[in-house]
């Protein structure tokens, strides 16, 4: 069995299967000295089956897209590529222009999933119209949103073509469980995947004794336990960022971690689930 076959997947509304564990690129390309290491880390991730790569025009002002473009050169057909348009660019014409710039930086003809990075002042209807135009033109295959809470999602799906949304990418990890109260159930009922960014809270949760104890019991690392906890959820994929090959291998190992009911109960005690509506966490 190949690595790709053993990597679990989730299903988009289109019926397409995408890797449950991908690679994020937030903070990549911020230091030119790290470029080779970052490119190699992404290529290693691809080799290990983490073929979903998430980036955005905002990251390093387009620099992260260029790093991704270099990493996937000659391997485009293996990759599920995600990028995002900034809200200030998300007018009808601005979205199409931003997509063209992203395509050029990535060195590809089509983006598999194109997201509105967060809500801004531009009416959603304009952005959706632009997304649909890009789909029709063969520039993107799917579109979705990022950092949308329940009210935003409800507004979106009431728009013409709004039900074509493919995902909501949000901050989700052990320390940021607010979406479990209402947003996650809404998305699960709608068959809409959630893409979790910062799934290990940029390392800030890893010092907790509970995580260390469970990791030792399972022969895993605290980061793998935190990531496996996110990945256990139905319809959730995760996009941890790592510019270092050793961390890429560690992330991949999270797919092999099986948390027991005891593990989950201990994590709930340390990181309690929400008992009321919480503001959507974004950073």
């Amino acid at each position: 069995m190949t690595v790709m076959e053993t990597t679990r997947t989730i299903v988009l509304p289109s019926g397409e299967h995408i890797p449950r564990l991908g690679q994020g690129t937030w903070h990549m390309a911020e230091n030119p000295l790290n470029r080779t290491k970052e490119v190699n880390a992404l290529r290693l991730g691809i080799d290990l089956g983490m073929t979903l790569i998430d980036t955005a025009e905002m990251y390093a002002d387009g620099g992260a897209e260029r790093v991704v473009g270099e990493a996937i050169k000659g391997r485009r057909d293996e990759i599920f590529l995600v990028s995002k348009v900034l809200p200030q660019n998300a007018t009808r014409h601005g979205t199409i222009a931003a997509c063209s710039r992203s395509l050029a930086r990535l060195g590809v003809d089509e983006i598999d999933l194109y997201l509105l990075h967060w809500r801004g002042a531009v009416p959603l209807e304009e952005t959706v119209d632009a997304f649909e135009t890009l789909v029709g033109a063969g520039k993107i295959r799917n579109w979705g949103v990022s950092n949308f809470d329940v009210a935003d999602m409800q507004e979106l799906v009431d728009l013409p073509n709004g039900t074509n949304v493919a995902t909501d990418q949000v901050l989700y990890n052990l320390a940021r469980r607010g979406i479990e109260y209402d947003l996650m159930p809404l998305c699960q009922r709608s068959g809409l995947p959630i893409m979790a960014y910062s799934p290990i809270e940029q390392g800030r949760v890893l010092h907790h004794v509970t995580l260390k104890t469970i990791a030792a019991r399972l022969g895993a690392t605290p980061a793998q336990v935190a990531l496996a906890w996110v990945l256990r959820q139905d319809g959730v994929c995760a996009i941890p960022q790592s510019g270092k090959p050793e961390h890429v291998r560690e992330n991949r190992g999270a797919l092999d971690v099986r948390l027991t009911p005891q593990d989950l109960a201990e994590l709930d005690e340390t990181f309690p689930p929400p008992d009321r509506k919480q503001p959507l966490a974004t950073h």
Side-chain angles (χ1 to χ4, degrees):
M1 196 176 273
T2 67
V3 168
M4 195 60 200
E5 288 168 335
T6 60
T7 301
R8 291 170 292 170
T9 61
I10 62 170
V11 186
L12 293 177
S14 64
E16 182 173 0
H17 287 252
I18 64 172
R20 185 178 287 275
L21 179 61
Q23 303 184 79
T25 60
W26 190 16
H27 298 310
M28 281 192 181
E30 292 176 358
N31 183 343
L33 296 176
N34 294 333
R35 186 183 182 96
T36 299
K37 185 182 286 188
E38 289 169 348
V39 168
N40 289 339
L42 286 170
R43 287 175 176 165
L44 174 61
I46 296 168
D47 293 339
L48 295 175
M50 295 184 291
T51 52
L52 186 157
I53 299 179
D54 175 87
T55 190
E57 67 169 343
M58 183 186 83
Y59 301 162
D61 196 24
E65 288 182 323
R66 294 187 184 94
V67 167
V68 171
E70 186 177 340
I72 69 174
K73 195 170 184 179
R75 305 185 69 171
R76 175 65 183 99
D77 58 350
E78 300 175 54
I79 310 301
F80 187 88
L81 190 57
V82 185
S83 195
K84 310 180 197 72
V85 57
L86 282 163
Q88 59 265 37
N89 292 336
T91 61
R92 278 189 185 85
H93 298 301
T95 300
I96 292 166
C99 184
S100 293
R101 293 192 297 269
S102 288
L103 289 168
R105 286 189 291 263
L106 291 161
V108 300
D109 297 323
E110 187 178 52
I111 293 169
D112 298 301
L113 176 62
Y114 197 43
L115 309 179
L116 174 60
H117 210 147
W118 66 87
R119 278 205 79 168
V122 176
L124 275 180
E125 193 165 357
E126 273 197 53
T127 309
V128 171
D129 184 63
F131 283 158
E132 290 291 323
T133 299
L134 287 166
V135 171
K139 302 295 185 183
I140 65 175
R141 294 201 301 116
N142 305 273
W143 63 264
V145 293
S146 181
N147 299 303
F148 270 43
D149 206 348
V150 170
D152 303 309
M153 293 303 298
Q154 290 170 334
E155 182 181 342
L156 174 64
V157 298
D158 284 341
L159 295 174
N161 296 311
T163 54
N164 290 341
V165 60
T167 191
D168 188 9
Q169 183 181 118
V170 293
L171 194 160
Y172 179 56
N173 56 53
L174 275 165
R176 311 293 192 99
R177 298 183 62 173
I179 66 167
E180 293 176 16
Y181 186 78
D182 51 0
L183 181 61
M184 182 179 284
L186 173 71
C187 290
Q188 288 172 334
R189 286 195 302 272
S190 307
L192 191 69
I194 281 176
M195 199 171 283
Y197 69 84
S198 297
I200 59 172
E201 186 70 355
Q202 299 183 54
R204 289 188 292 267
V205 297
L206 303 183
H207 66 278
H208 279 273
V209 173
T210 303
L211 271 175
K212 292 180 178 178
T213 302
I214 293 171
R217 197 159 62 213
L218 297 176
T221 67
Q224 287 172 336
V225 171
L227 200 46
W229 180 88
V230 171
L231 294 169
R232 88 197 192 289
Q233 289 275 14
D234 286 339
V236 175
C237 73
I239 46 169
Q241 183 273 343
S242 179
K244 298 178 180 178
E246 60 269 27
H247 289 163
V248 171
R249 291 187 185 280
E250 182 180 17
N251 290 343
R252 173 57 184 84
L255 285 169
D256 302 318
V257 173
R258 296 291 176 267
L259 299 174
T260 67
Q262 179 189 346
D263 299 331
L264 294 172
E266 290 176 11
L267 289 168
D268 278 349
E269 190 172 340
T270 303
F271 305 96
D275 59 3
R276 61 178 69 86
K277 170 69 180 172
Q278 298 178 4
L280 186 70
T282 57
H283 58 273

